[in-house]
Each structure stands twice: as structure tokens, then as C-alpha cells.
Amino acid sequence: MVINAGVERNISLNDYASFADGELLDRIDKLSAGLRGAAIQHINSTFIGGGVAEILQSLTPIMRSIGLQARWDIISAGEEFFGVTKAFHNAFHGEKIDFSDKMAEIYRLTAAANLDVVDREADYVIIHDQQPLGLAERKAGHRGRWVWYCHIDPVNVDARLWEFLSSYAARCDAAIYHMAEYAKNLGNRQFFLPPAIDPLSDKNREVTAAEQDRVLQELDFPSDKPVILQVSRFDRLKNPFGVVEAFRKVRDDIPSYLILAGGAADDDPEGLEVLAELLKMVDNDPDIRILNLSPTSHLEINVLQRACDIIVQNSIKEGFGLTVTEALWKGKPVVAAPAGGILKQVIHEQTGLLAKDGEELTGCLTRLLKDPGLASELGQRGKEHARKNFITPVYLYNWLSLMDEMRA
Ligand code: UDP
């Protein structure tokens, strides 16, 4: 069995007391009393990299800190399996997949080889995403309650693939989706649990003035004009091209900078292609910076989000949009496209501004640059919205409620 030594963060619920309402902490206290000692096992496919791993690095130790026996395990698999599940992942996003018997066979064999990962004594077995879902073979005769947590938008999943995966998911007692709009009918119980950001992680914690100065200097961050920022993988669905177009119109009116910060991994040819196209479009424009960051640039992203004036998220499609949560948490005015989970976060004119096309994006950016009072008000309300709904202590409470309800 693979041990996750050193990956979980050294944290407890007490560390989050200053971010949470007293009333929320009381509710956590009450619910955890009834669940104390319950054994909960989280299973996914990696300890490092990706949103689920980031969530579990905080959630597992924080659950233990309130008296649950929480553990986190992963399945072991080879390249061939991950090639198949990457194709599955893309097919959730509507990409074409030629789902074959060979793929099903590779998936089944890996599941069979990992059945012993399941803790026989667990009261709750939580299967995160589709990679470990084959472990549902172990559900029959298991004493615990099983939950499948779908962290991506399954609405446009390929029909044949869904037929295959749902036969496993339906064996679980319940399924969790980020929001009601993503629910699929599996015939079992359904819960809706949006993800959360960790206010104490390097991506979101307060930074010292010295850290901020150092990072800004390293990134050659400009200070003579307002800065508009979008942080996103270089992906067409994040529509960075639309941001450049809108920015150029804004800049004709109000001198400003645009920073597009993202990453393009070597193993993601599409990311590199989008980056190359962007560089071509930007054509050494002195007001536009493209930052190709490494996957570990958490502090850099944190500092960029804190130092800029407006944050944009111009996605065409979006699962939940953690970059938006991160932006709201920094108290920045956000202008975002009305896609997927962004709609739960950016309430138009209250916690940010929604812009459905390039013209609206130009209009919203110009408006905010001309009205710092509005920008600051939206930023403050946005931060409070994130604090109330999308940070670790709230996430923990939602988990406890779910576990409590599942006992009924
Ligand atoms: N992110 C990052 N480096 C990058 C681009 C994004 O660390 O170059 C982070 C970003 O801060 C956020 C996550 O990756 O925490 C992206 O999550 P989101 O839900 O916004 O979009 P996804 O990439 O999952 O579609």
C-alpha cells in the first residue's frame, strides 16, 4: 500500500477559527460529537497534483483534528490506465471518445488489482472522481456507506462511457456533485457539495510585505498603471484571446496592463499550442504580459492576485472555477463570464460583475477602472461571500452534515 507521508498538511480546525463564524464552529462541534470515532476513508488516484489532491491534503487532517478516524489512500496504476482515464476525463468535457472493450478491460484489471486498498473497517468509503470508481466491486458485503464524489461536470459525458462508469457509481449509496445542475440519475442518494479553498495554503494565505516584494520583483510586476489579471491554464475554454481583445479596447481609454498567468505542462500539447497562439496575438505588446508559471507557483499566484486591481475569469465553460474563489478571497473585484460554477460565486452587481461577451467585458473593466469605490465594494462583498460559502471550515461542516444525513 502507498503511504501518503508528508503530503497531508499539519493543520487542525483550531487554525481556522479566525475565518469562521462562532455559530459555524458550534455547529461543527455538535455534529462532530455524534460522529466521533467514525472511520472515513478517502480514495483517489494521486497524492500530488490536481484539485482533489489539494482538497484532501487539508480535509483529511482537519477531519482527524475533530475526532474522526480519517485516512487517505490512492490506487496504484500504470501509464496505460492513466491514459485511459485521461481519455475518460476529456470525454466528461464532451470530447469524442472511442470507448472500447480494451479500455474497459484495462480499467477493470486495475480496479481488481487495487481492491485491497479499501479499508474493510471503514464506516464511510469516499471514492473521488472516476479513476478509483472500479473499487465499487468491493461494496457488496462491505459494512460502510459508500459515496462517489464527482468533481467534474458530467452533463455532457459520452453516453457509452457513462453506461460503463455509472454501473459502478450506482452501486454506491450516494453520489456527490458540485451543484444540483450537474446531477445524474443513478437511482441512489444525491448530495451537492461545492469545493472550497484553504485560506491557510500558500495559494491563499496572507503574505508578508517582504514575500510580496520579492515575488513582484521576480515577476517584474509593473507598478505605474492599473493591472488586470486572469489566472488560468492556457486552454481555449478559458478564452484568454477574448480577454486580450477586450483589454485592448479598455487600454485605449484607460492606460493599464494585462497579465495572463497560467501554465502549459510539457505533456499537454494543447496548452503549448494555446500559449504559442497567444504569444503571436500579443505580438510583444508592451502592456500585456504572459507568464508561463511552473505547477508549484502557488505563492506567485497568491501575490499576483493580491497585487493586481481587477481579476477576470472569461471561461466559456467552467466546472466550479476555483480561480474565481481565490480571487474573491483576496477581496478583488472580479469580472467573469456566466459559466458553470462561476454563477454560484459571482452574483452580478453584488459579489462581482458578470460579462457574457467581449463587449460586456470591455464595459465592466472600464467601469471598474473608473470607479474604484465600486471596485472596492464588490471586492469586499465577494470576499465575504467566499468566506461564508467556499472555505475549508464550511467545507468541513458540509461534509459532517452529509455523513450525519447518511446515517439516517
Ligand atoms: N492554477 C495554477 N497554476 C496555473 C493555473 C492555474 O496553480 O498556471 C491553479 C489555480 O490557482 C486554481 C486551479 O489551478 O487553484 C484551477 O482550478 P479551476 O477550478 O479554476 O480550473 P481548472 O483548471 O480545474 O479547469
Side-chain angles (χ1 to χ4, degrees), residues 219-370:
L219 297 176
D220 192 21
F221 188 89
S223 57
D224 54 328
K225 292 186 274 193
V227 174
I228 297 164
L229 170 74
Q230 172 160 298
V231 176
S232 272
R233 291 178 293 106
F234 294 119
D235 186 316
R236 289 182 209 289
L237 292 179
K238 309 290 182 183
N239 196 6
F241 305 101
V243 182
V244 171
E245 262 172 42
F247 167 75
R248 284 185 162 147
K249 291 185 188 137
V250 172
R251 177 256 320 256
D252 286 346
D253 190 13
I254 306 168
S256 44
Y257 289 107
L258 172 66
I259 297 181
L260 295 171
D266 294 347
D267 62 353
D268 178 3
E270 214 197 351
L272 291 173
E273 201 181 286
V274 172
L275 175 60
E277 271 178 53
L278 258 182
L279 288 168
K280 195 162 165 223
M281 179 181 189
V282 166
D283 191 23
N284 293 320
D285 186 324
D287 294 330
I288 304 180
R289 311 267 167 94
I290 309 243
L291 300 179
N292 187 7
L293 301 172
S294 82
T296 53
S297 306
H298 304 302
L299 187 63
E300 285 77 2
I301 290 175
N302 187 348
V303 168
L304 283 170
Q305 287 166 333
R306 286 176 191 278
C308 73
D309 296 273
I310 302 174
I311 299 182
V312 181
Q313 190 57 55
N314 194 36
S315 309
I316 293 164
K317 282 197 98 189
E318 194 57 79
F320 184 72
L322 282 172
T323 50
V324 172
T325 330
E326 290 159 10
L328 296 175
W329 181 244
K330 311 297 179 338
K332 292 294 163 176
V334 172
V335 184
I342 289 176
L343 289 164
K344 305 279 172 209
Q345 305 188 66
V346 176
I347 319 287
H348 190 52
E349 302 281 352
Q350 289 181 42
T351 64
L353 297 176
L354 290 172
K356 70 172 180 320
D357 55 27
E359 199 181 322
E360 287 194 6
L361 181 56
T362 306
C364 290
L365 291 172
T366 306
R367 186 174 159 208
L368 287 174
L369 286 172
K370 286 187 172 164

Side-chain angles (χ1 to χ4, degrees), residues 78-390:
E79 251 176 56
E80 200 179 29
F81 174 81
F82 287 120
V84 167
T85 56
K86 178 80 206 273
F88 286 4
H89 180 91
N90 291 341
F92 268 75
H93 291 298
E95 207 168 274
K96 259 194 89 55
I97 184 172
D98 197 5
F99 181 64
S100 63
D101 290 348
K102 172 103 169 98
M103 285 175 160
E105 182 65 9
I106 292 167
Y107 189 86
R108 272 195 213 104
L109 283 175
T110 300
N114 277 280
L115 289 179
D116 286 343
V117 169
V118 176
D119 177 358
R120 287 168 196 278
E121 301 305 317
D123 297 303
Y124 299 87
V125 177
I126 317 295
I127 306 284
H128 292 267
D129 274 342
Q130 40 89 13
Q131 298 89 340
L133 190 51
L135 298 187
E137 288 284 1
R138 259 289 143 86
K139 163 80 171 75
H142 189 277
R143 65 191 291 277
R145 292 164 177 85
W146 284 56
V147 183
W148 178 51
Y149 195 166
C150 178
H151 288 270
I152 53 179
D153 169 359
V155 172
N156 295 314
V157 62
D158 174 87
R160 281 184 58 219
L161 172 62
W162 181 245
E163 196 183 319
F164 176 70
L165 290 176
S166 62
S167 71
Y168 293 106
R171 293 183 214 181
C172 296
D173 300 294
I176 310 178
Y177 306 94
H178 281 166
M179 30 192 220
E181 291 84 338
Y182 293 166
K184 301 284 278 186
N185 188 6
L186 288 165
N188 55 15
R189 294 183 75 172
Q190 293 182 333
F191 294 92
F192 305 109
L193 198 56
I197 57 159
D198 185 340
L200 294 176
S201 68
D202 278 342
K203 183 73 69 58
N204 298 302
R205 67 174 169 82
E206 295 287 330
V207 296
T208 64
E211 280 174 324
Q212 171 130 344
D213 289 349
R214 177 179 57 74
V215 172
L216 291 181
Q217 210 171 357
E218 275 168 18
L219 297 176
D220 192 21
F221 188 89
S223 57
D224 54 328
K225 292 186 274 193
V227 174
I228 297 164
L229 170 74
Q230 172 160 298
V231 176
S232 272
R233 291 178 293 106
F234 294 119
D235 186 316
R236 289 182 209 289
L237 292 179
K238 309 290 182 183
N239 196 6
F241 305 101
V243 182
V244 171
E245 262 172 42
F247 167 75
R248 284 185 162 147
K249 291 185 188 137
V250 172
R251 177 256 320 256
D252 286 346
D253 190 13
I254 306 168
S256 44
Y257 289 107
L258 172 66
I259 297 181
L260 295 171
D266 294 347
D267 62 353
D268 178 3
E270 214 197 351
L272 291 173
E273 201 181 286
V274 172
L275 175 60
E277 271 178 53
L278 258 182
L279 288 168
K280 195 162 165 223
M281 179 181 189
V282 166
D283 191 23
N284 293 320
D285 186 324
D287 294 330
I288 304 180
R289 311 267 167 94
I290 309 243
L291 300 179
N292 187 7
L293 301 172
S294 82
T296 53
S297 306
H298 304 302
L299 187 63
E300 285 77 2
I301 290 175
N302 187 348
V303 168
L304 283 170
Q305 287 166 333
R306 286 176 191 278
C308 73
D309 296 273
I310 302 174
I311 299 182
V312 181
Q313 190 57 55
N314 194 36
S315 309
I316 293 164
K317 282 197 98 189
E318 194 57 79
F320 184 72
L322 282 172
T323 50
V324 172
T325 330
E326 290 159 10
L328 296 175
W329 181 244
K330 311 297 179 338
K332 292 294 163 176
V334 172
V335 184
I342 289 176
L343 289 164
K344 305 279 172 209
Q345 305 188 66
V346 176
I347 319 287
H348 190 52
E349 302 281 352
Q350 289 181 42
T351 64
L353 297 176
L354 290 172
K356 70 172 180 320
D357 55 27
E359 199 181 322
E360 287 194 6
L361 181 56
T362 306
C364 290
L365 291 172
T366 306
R367 186 174 159 208
L368 287 174
L369 286 172
K370 286 187 172 164
D371 188 348
L374 172 68
S376 150
E377 254 174 56
L378 292 174
Q380 285 319 303
R381 274 192 244 125
K383 178 166 188 176
E384 181 60 6
H385 185 58
R387 189 187 72 81
K388 286 247 181 237
N389 297 288
F390 308 119

